[in-house]
Amino acid sequence: MLKQAFHTRALGFALLASAAVIGQSATAREAGGFAQAEWAQDYASPAAMQVQRSSTPILSPQTVAATEQMIERYRDIVNRGGWKPVSGADRLRVGAKGPAVAALRQRLIVTGDLDPASGGSGVYDSYVAAGVKRFQARHGLSQTGAMSQTTQAAMNVPADVRLHQLEINVVRLRSYAGNLGNRFVITNIPAALVQTVENGQVVTLHAAGVGKIDRQSPIMNTKATQINFNPFWTVPASIVKKDLIPKMQKDPTYLTENKIRIFAGENEISPASVNWNSDEGTRYRYRQDSGADFNSMGIVRINIPNPYGVFMHDTNSKGVYGDDFRFISSGCVRVQNVREYITWLLKDTPGWGREQVEQAIESGKRVDATLSTPVPVYWTYITAWSTPDGLVQFRDDIYKRDGVNVPSTLSAPTPVASAEPVQSFEPGDEEN
């Protein structure tokens, strides 16, 4: 029975993906009156093998139960010897032939990404490509259908390591098994993903930019309390020292070009008056003007009181949302399609519908909106889980908290968004 459960045919090929799958549907869905944040996805064939988004929150009793069942399935895989490594990633594309393709087919069959009935051919056909896409979707990778070193590295993580990942993460999931609220937000840091949840269902799904490996986003429970439209950004002392001063040493026009002003008390001073080759620059306050095109917080900041001084915000560098690697902030969380996100947050606040949100943004002025009922926000760290539909998800243990030595498959930003420069420093632990 367990073996059959892993056959994709037994899974029905109509499995819905976890809400953490990026790039799923080209069709926008309306949920609760709000436009869904989605990513385009193109599958060549067959249509039945497409991975689609689940409406089950990652923090839910259903996810706990599904993950417990998946642990049993992976124990069976491990007991049967796991899977064999694949190789030749650089040579494997549609049309390729040979033993490496046959080995790839077998690897995909073991985890239900390819129907055994598709045959044991040594040809990389559309079925193999669809199976690779499905595997990539389950691991948060760009779904090209072609093998790559990153995809191969994810495939070659041993089955027993994946099993241990599931066992560790189900404990984390169980810790959220209580009542999280009727409306709440989940940020899953390893997946770099934000879910909004209402009445037990995912309403909107957003790619996110989260903390760098050396400036990690904290695990915490808090609440969204206020929205700041068109905010200034006060540069925190840590970023002044680590990023801003070195930039000024290389380029004396950096502050001016990025509309960052220097203040001694309440008095603005000229960048040219500061000795940037000394510690003088650390004595001043730095504030970036508001503006969607250049302000590091973009058009909006979401306040979530916490002892770490972090928050959620828009960004002026949206190209990063197309990358697999989105660990790029100084601890805060950037949110894709932030207008949908804040509209959902403000839904129950009188006088703050979508029209008012747009008006506040377009005004270009600092406007604050306080939520009439604060919304619970959970920043969590889940690297392995399953959905009730039988689909298992894995993400890199980017902060090395699993303790099972999962090899990293993502080590740097992918070139997807390389056409759009990303600021090298981000909002972090500053005051409002």
Side-chain angles (χ1 to χ4, degrees):
M1 288 293 293
L2 290 172
K3 184 175 181 180
Q4 290 177 343
F6 262 89
H7 289 174
T8 310
R9 183 179 290 265
L11 292 176
F13 280 131
L15 302 174
L16 299 175
S18 147
V21 176
I22 303 298
Q24 297 304 311
S25 173
T27 303
R29 181 174 68 88
E30 293 293 323
F34 302 108
Q36 181 63 49
E38 305 234 4
W39 298 267
Q41 175 102 316
D42 177 32
Y43 286 91
S45 82
M49 296 179 71
Q50 294 183 17
V51 174
Q52 300 188 22
R53 187 172 53 80
S54 171
S55 61
T56 302
I58 189 171
L59 301 183
S60 66
Q62 296 93 327
T63 299
V64 171
T67 304
E68 290 171 342
Q69 292 178 355
M70 190 58 64
I71 287 172
E72 294 304 315
R73 293 179 180 180
Y74 265 67
R75 283 176 180 159
D76 181 63
I77 289 179
V78 171
N79 290 336
R80 289 187 282 111
W83 47 71
K84 295 181 180 179
V86 297
S87 60
D90 293 339
R91 304 187 305 274
L92 300 184
R93 300 288 187 277
V94 172
K97 301 178 181 179
V101 177
L104 173 60
R105 279 182 179 269
Q106 292 306 308
R107 171 64 184 85
L108 294 170
I109 287 171
V110 170
T111 46
D113 296 301
L114 183 64
D115 187 348
S118 66
S121 167
V123 178
Y124 200 124
D125 56 20
S126 62
Y127 287 90
V128 174
V132 170
K133 283 185 178 181
R134 188 175 186 272
F135 178 90
Q136 290 167 332
R138 295 193 303 102
H139 291 77
L141 303 175
S142 296
Q143 294 145 58
T144 63
M147 287 294 291
S148 65
Q149 290 297 336
T150 298
T151 302
Q152 179 173 289
M155 285 187 177
N156 288 343
V157 174
D160 62 335
V161 173
R162 291 304 194 195
L163 171 60
H164 291 322
Q165 236 185 315
L166 285 164
E167 292 171 335
I168 287 165
N169 281 273
V170 78
V171 175
R172 294 175 182 154
L173 290 167
R174 287 173 185 149
S175 70
Y176 293 93
N179 183 10
L180 303 182
N182 184 53
R183 301 180 74 239
F184 59 92
V185 175
I186 304 166
T187 296
N188 186 15
I189 295 167
L193 187 90
V194 172
Q195 295 177 336
T196 64
V197 179
E198 189 165 0
N199 298 321
Q201 300 290 308
V202 174
V203 178
T204 63
L205 179 68
H206 309 262
V210 299
K212 301 173 184 177
I213 295 171
D214 61 344
R215 303 187 194 182
Q216 299 180 7
S217 297
I219 311 306
M220 64 180 183
N221 300 340
T222 180
K223 291 184 177 182
T225 59
Q226 188 181 61
I227 312 296
N228 304 141
F229 294 93
N230 304 306
F232 293 119
W233 177 42
T234 300
V235 185
S238 61
I239 291 181
V240 169
K241 186 175 181 179
K242 292 179 181 178
D243 299 305
L244 192 148
I245 291 177
K247 285 183 177 294
M248 285 300 291
Q249 291 171 348
K250 295 179 180 179
D251 179 8
T253 67
Y254 182 82
L255 290 180
T256 302
E257 289 180 352
N258 286 276
K259 295 181 170 51
I260 298 176
R261 303 175 187 273
I262 312 175
F263 292 88
E266 298 301 318
N267 298 318
E268 184 176 353
I269 65 174
S270 169
S273 67
V274 178
N275 180 359
W276 297 105
N277 293 310
S278 71
D279 66 352
E280 181 185 354
T282 63
R283 305 171 193 170
Y284 304 116
R285 179 169 58 92
Y286 299 82
R287 192 187 75 186
Q288 189 175 42
D289 292 345
S290 62
D293 295 334
F294 56 84
N295 188 284
S296 295
M297 287 190 288
I299 58 173
V300 70
R301 160 179 165 151
I302 299 98
N303 291 322
I304 49 173
N306 63 86
Y308 308 100
V310 294
F311 49 90
M312 305 178 82
H313 63 93
D314 183 32
T315 179
N316 64 326
S317 300
K318 295 179 173 57
V320 71
Y321 295 129
D323 285 335
D324 295 342
F325 187 95
R326 298 192 298 281
F327 306 92
I328 38 68
S329 81
S330 292
C332 289
V333 171
R334 309 182 196 177
V335 183
Q336 185 203 37
N337 289 348
V338 75
R339 294 176 191 237
E340 276 68 40
Y341 179 54
I342 59 175
T343 298
W344 182 84
L345 285 175
L346 290 166
K347 187 181 79 165
D348 294 335
T349 300
W352 280 103
R354 181 59 184 260
E355 182 179 353
Q356 288 73 29
V357 167
E358 296 295 340
Q359 288 174 352
I361 292 170
E362 297 305 320
S363 73
K365 299 177 181 179
R366 170 65 181 265
V367 178
D368 295 336
T370 300
L371 276 66
S372 58
T373 303
V375 175
V377 174
Y378 303 95
W379 285 17
T380 188
Y381 193 87
I382 307 296
T383 63
W385 69 98
S386 184
T387 63
D389 315 282
L391 200 76
V392 62
Q393 294 277 339
F394 294 102
R395 294 296 183 273
D396 265 17
D397 178 18
I398 194 71
Y399 295 164
K400 301 304 178 187
R401 298 191 177 193
D402 285 353
V404 293
N405 196 29
V406 178
S408 293
T409 58
L410 299 174
S411 58
T414 53
V416 177
S418 59
E420 183 172 353
V422 178
Q423 296 229 25
S424 62
F425 60 87
E426 289 295 316
D429 54 350
E430 71 272 25
E431 297 295 329
N432 186 14

